[in-house]
Amino acid sequence: MRLIPRQNLVLPFVGFFHSFEAKNSFGKTNLTGFHSAGNFRRPINARLNTNLHKKLVKRFWFFLDVDGRLFHGVFRISCDAGQSKDTENGLRDNLLIGFYLSFFDKKDLTNGIDWFIPCAMNTNEISPKAGSRLNRIKIISRIFRVLIGILVVLMMLMSALFFLASVKLLVSGPPMVDTLHISFSPHQAYTSPFNVPLPVLLIGAVQLGLGGCGLILLNRLFKLYERGDFFKTENIRCIKFLGLIVIGIWLTQTILELMAHQNNLEASGLVYGVLIVFIAWIMDEGRKIQEEQELTV
Amino acid sequence: MNTNEQSPKTNARMNRIQKVSKCIRLFLQYGIPLLIVGTLGIGVLASKHLINLPQLAHPTADPATTARVGSGLRGVLILIVYLFWYRTALKLFGYFERGILFTAETVRCIQILGVIYFARFLVKLVLNFVGPSPAWLGIDLSDLFTSFLIIFIGWLIDEARKIREEQELTV
C-alpha cells in the first residue's frame, strides 16, 4: 500500500464522498449513476473513462483492498486530514470519515445521518428480483430469435415452392383451376408470376428486401437483449431503423395501391413507424441525459 | 456540491423532447379532427355535385344489404379501435410534453398502442374471412410484427424501470 501525500488525497476523497449525497430525487438519480464507481470491493473498471475518474481511481486505489488495510488507509487519512474540527468543513469531513469507519465496524451505518455511503458496500451484486427480471428478458429474447429463425426458414420454403410452381407453369402451361396467387398488396394480386408488370415486380422486390432487413435487425436487437444490453447505442439504432423500415413498407404498399388505382389508403403504417422512431429518439436522449449526469461531479 | 441543478445540455435535451411532443400532441388534438371535418366536408360537397372528385378506375357495384351491414359493422369496429388509439396517443404525448419519459404510465400507453395495433390486425383478419370473399389477400403480416415489436419495447422499458427502482432501493 503506497502512501499518497495528504494534499493530493484529502480533497478528492471528500469530494468523492460528497458526490454520494442523496438529498433529493435528482441526487438519487446521480447516486444511481455512481453505483458503478462506488464499488470499493473491486477495482473501478473501464466503464468510466474520463480523466477525472482516472484520477479518482489513482487516488483511491489503496482503498480497493481487504477490510484491514482499508481501515488503516482511512485511519491514516483521518490523522492526516488536518482539517480544523471547529470549522464547518472540518466537522463535515471528520463526520464523513468517522461514519465511514463506523460502517467498517459493521454498525451504525445510518445512525444520525440522513444519507448513506454506498461506496463502502458491494454494489456489484444485483438483487435476486432484478436478476430474475434480466433472466426473463433474456429468455423471451431467445424465444423471439427462434421464432424469427423459423419464419425465415418458412419464407425460404415458400420462395422455393413459388419458384417450382413458376417453373411448372412455364413448362406445362396454366392450370385448369387458379391455385397460385401472388399478392403484393390487397389490390395487386396475380395468378401467374409472368403476368406481373415490371414496376410492380420491382416495388415488390423492394418491399421484400425491406422485410428481410427488418428481420435481420430484429434478430440483432434480440441478440443484444439476450446479451443483457438494453439501452445502448446499438439497440437504439436497431429500433430506429426498424421504425424506418415500417415506414418504408407502408410507402411501398401505398405506391402499389395507387398503381392499382385505389384511393382507399391507410396511414396506420406511417403513424406507427413514426411512433417507433420517436420512441427510439426519446430513448437515445434519455441515455445521453443519464451519461451526462453520470459524468457530472 | 449542488446536485439539484441539471447541466445545460440536459435541460436542452429535455426541452427539445417536450417541444417535439407538444407539436405532435397539438397535431393529434387539432389536426386530425380538422382533417376529418375537411374530408367529410369534401364528401358532402362532392355528393351535391358542387365539386368533382376523381373516379375510381374500378368502381364497386352497389353492394347488397348483407354486405352493407358487414361493411357498417367493420366501420364501427375500426372506428372504436381508432378512438382508443387516439385517446392513448394523446395521453402518451401529453406525458412526454410534461417531461415524464419512462414511468409506469408512459409504458402502459406504449403497450396499449401496441395492443390496439394488434387488435386492428385481428379485426381485419376476422372481417376478411367472414366477408363475402374470404381470402388472405387483405392481410398484412407486417402489422402483426409491428404490434409485437411495440408491445415488446414497452415491456422491456417497464422491466428496465423496475430493475432500476429495485437497485436504487437496494442497500
Side-chain angles (χ1 to χ4, degrees):
Chain A
M1 180 176 68
R2 64 186 178 95
L3 298 176
I4 296 175
R6 181 188 67 196
Q7 60 273 19
N8 291 338
L9 185 64
V10 173
L11 290 176
F13 170 73
V14 171
F16 193 73
F17 274 92
H18 274 300
S19 68
F20 283 89
E21 287 188 24
K23 287 187 176 174
N24 50 38
S25 60
F26 183 79
K28 280 179 191 160
T29 309
N30 245 0
L31 192 67
T32 311
F34 271 102
H35 273 177
S36 60
N39 178 20
F40 278 85
R41 302 287 291 191
R42 292 182 205 168
I44 295 172
N45 60 18
R47 197 186 302 184
L48 303 169
N49 288 324
T50 59
N51 289 335
L52 174 65
H53 286 95
K54 279 179 186 166
K55 283 177 195 168
L56 284 173
V57 168
K58 282 184 194 165
R59 299 288 182 270
F60 301 121
W61 180 253
F62 72 94
F63 288 106
L64 304 174
D65 205 341
V66 297
D67 289 342
R69 294 164 72 179
L70 200 67
F71 181 91
H72 179 77
V74 173
F75 183 73
R76 179 63 191 238
I77 288 169
S78 174
C79 291
D80 293 339
Q83 299 281 341
S84 166
K85 289 184 184 176
D86 296 329
T87 64
E88 190 181 328
N89 283 342
L91 275 170
R92 185 184 185 81
D93 299 334
N94 285 326
L95 189 68
L96 284 165
I97 294 163
F99 277 107
Y100 186 79
L101 287 174
S102 71
F103 170 72
F104 170 69
D105 289 330
K106 308 283 188 275
K107 58 185 177 186
D108 299 330
L109 175 61
T110 58
N111 183 30
I113 56 173
D114 57 352
W115 44 266
F116 61 96
I117 309 172
C119 56
M121 306 158 211
N122 184 3
T123 54
N124 264 344
E125 286 178 10
I126 300 174
S127 70
K129 269 192 184 175
S132 69
R133 288 190 198 284
L134 283 171
N135 283 340
R136 207 182 315 162
I137 292 172
K138 286 177 184 176
I139 288 168
I140 290 181
S141 302
R142 184 170 295 176
I143 291 170
F144 270 107
R145 279 188 68 202
V146 166
L147 286 174
I148 289 168
I150 292 170
L151 184 69
V152 166
V153 166
L154 281 174
M155 281 176 71
M156 285 169 69
L157 276 173
M158 279 173 61
S159 306
L161 281 171
F162 168 73
F163 178 72
L164 286 171
S166 309
V167 166
K168 189 185 169 194
L169 201 70
L170 191 66
V171 166
S172 57
M176 298 294 289
V177 177
D178 288 336
T179 54
L180 184 68
H181 280 95
I182 307 152
S183 168
F184 295 93
S185 73
H187 294 94
Q188 290 272 14
Y190 302 90
T191 53
S192 165
F194 306 107
N195 297 340
V196 181
L198 186 62
V200 173
L201 200 61
L202 286 173
I203 295 171
V206 166
Q207 195 177 37
L208 195 65
L210 283 172
C213 287
L215 284 174
I216 291 170
L217 277 172
L218 263 179
N219 187 50
R220 191 185 291 181
L221 183 66
F222 287 125
K223 197 173 172 182
L224 288 167
Y225 291 145
E226 205 180 324
R227 223 163 51 184
D229 299 329
F230 300 121
F231 295 109
K232 299 262 174 85
T233 315
E234 214 178 324
N235 298 58
I236 293 166
R237 200 178 294 141
C238 282
I239 295 172
K240 194 163 49 173
F241 280 126
L242 280 168
L244 291 172
I245 282 170
V246 169
I247 294 171
I249 289 174
W250 169 82
L251 199 61
T252 52
Q253 286 274 67
T254 306
I255 292 170
L256 287 169
E257 287 290 284
L258 286 171
M259 284 169 74
H261 305 288
Q262 294 296 319
N263 293 334
N264 187 19
L265 304 173
E266 282 190 352
S268 56
L270 175 67
V271 167
Y272 278 95
V274 167
L275 179 70
I276 292 170
V277 171
F278 184 75
I279 289 172
W281 175 67
I282 284 190
M283 282 165 73
D284 200 27
E285 293 289 301
R287 180 189 62 82
K288 286 174 188 167
I289 288 171
Q290 183 164 16
E291 272 179 14
E292 283 161 14
Q293 285 179 357
E294 280 179 3
L295 298 173
T296 303
V297 176
Chain B
M1 58 206 72
N2 185 2
T3 55
N4 272 333
E5 287 180 8
Q6 288 186 339
S7 70
K9 272 192 182 175
T10 305
N11 271 337
R13 290 193 196 283
M14 282 303 293
N15 285 342
R16 209 182 314 157
I17 291 172
Q18 285 170 316
K19 270 185 200 161
V20 173
S21 303
K22 188 176 180 179
C23 291
I24 295 174
R25 184 188 62 82
L26 287 172
F27 172 73
L28 285 174
Q29 198 164 353
Y30 301 111
I32 288 182
L34 278 172
L35 272 172
I36 292 170
V37 166
T39 310
L40 286 172
I42 288 170
V44 165
L45 290 172
S47 66
K48 292 192 175 169
H49 303 289
L50 293 171
I51 54 170
N52 290 326
L53 286 177
Q55 297 296 319
L56 285 173
H58 306 286
T60 52
D62 194 26
T65 311
T66 50
R68 278 185 196 169
V69 169
S71 64
L73 181 67
R74 177 191 172 123
V76 166
L77 280 173
I78 289 178
L79 184 67
I80 290 170
V81 166
Y82 275 131
L83 282 173
F84 266 114
W85 171 87
Y86 183 69
R87 181 176 163 268
T88 310
L90 273 180
K91 213 193 272 188
L92 178 66
F93 287 107
Y95 284 135
F96 288 153
E97 195 184 332
R98 274 179 277 163
I100 302 167
L101 296 185
F102 294 118
T103 57
E105 291 84 12
T106 54
V107 162
R108 200 175 300 132
C109 286
I110 292 170
Q111 287 180 320
I112 288 172
L113 286 174
V115 167
I116 286 169
Y117 204 29
F118 180 66
R120 186 177 154 272
F121 167 78
L122 282 180
V123 165
K124 274 169 73 174
L125 185 74
V126 166
L127 290 175
N128 260 335
F129 277 99
V130 164
S133 55
W136 287 95
L137 296 182
I139 305 304
D140 191 3
L141 286 177
S142 65
D143 289 353
L144 184 66
F145 287 116
T146 309
S147 61
F148 274 128
L149 178 67
I150 294 171
I151 292 169
F152 182 79
I153 288 173
W155 173 74
L156 190 78
I157 294 171
D158 199 33
E159 290 290 299
R161 181 186 62 82
K162 284 173 186 167
I163 288 171
R164 184 173 161 160
E165 275 178 12
E166 282 160 11
Q167 282 186 342
E168 278 181 2
L169 297 170
T170 301
V171 175

